Amino acid sequence: MNRDELKIQIYLTNGKSFCVVSGARKVMDDLLNGKDQFIEMQCTDGCHHYMNVDRIIDVKEIKEVPYDRMR
């Protein structure tokens, strides 16, 4: 993984959070400029997930990601 790549942690209304380390710039762009109600993310296992933007309450840039939180 490139050290310059953006890493973000997304916080949800249900109190859960997860980290996005691959494609985080696209996720942020979709959140800020998207017109759709859902954004697409890909897990480390290759599965695609769609998140309802209404469930996201906060997004923060992170420097280090705990291994068990990677998405």
Side-chain angles (χ1 to χ4, degrees), residues 13-69:
T13 55
N14 63 3
K16 295 183 180 182
S17 68
F18 58 94
C19 299
V20 179
V21 295
S22 178
R25 291 200 187 278
K26 181 181 181 327
V27 171
M28 284 299 297
D29 186 50
D30 288 348
L31 282 171
L32 296 173
N33 302 318
K35 297 176 183 162
D36 295 329
Q37 187 174 0
F38 295 91
I39 58 171
E40 180 182 0
M41 288 176 260
Q42 184 175 358
C43 279
T44 53
D45 61 3
C47 294
H48 290 266
H49 299 277
Y50 297 89
M51 177 62 60
N52 186 330
V53 294
D54 292 338
R55 295 187 61 209
I56 297 172
I57 58 171
D58 198 9
V59 177
K60 295 182 180 180
E61 181 179 4
I62 55 176
K63 299 296 179 195
E64 303 240 349
V65 180
Y67 181 75
D68 63 336
R69 305 292 261 170

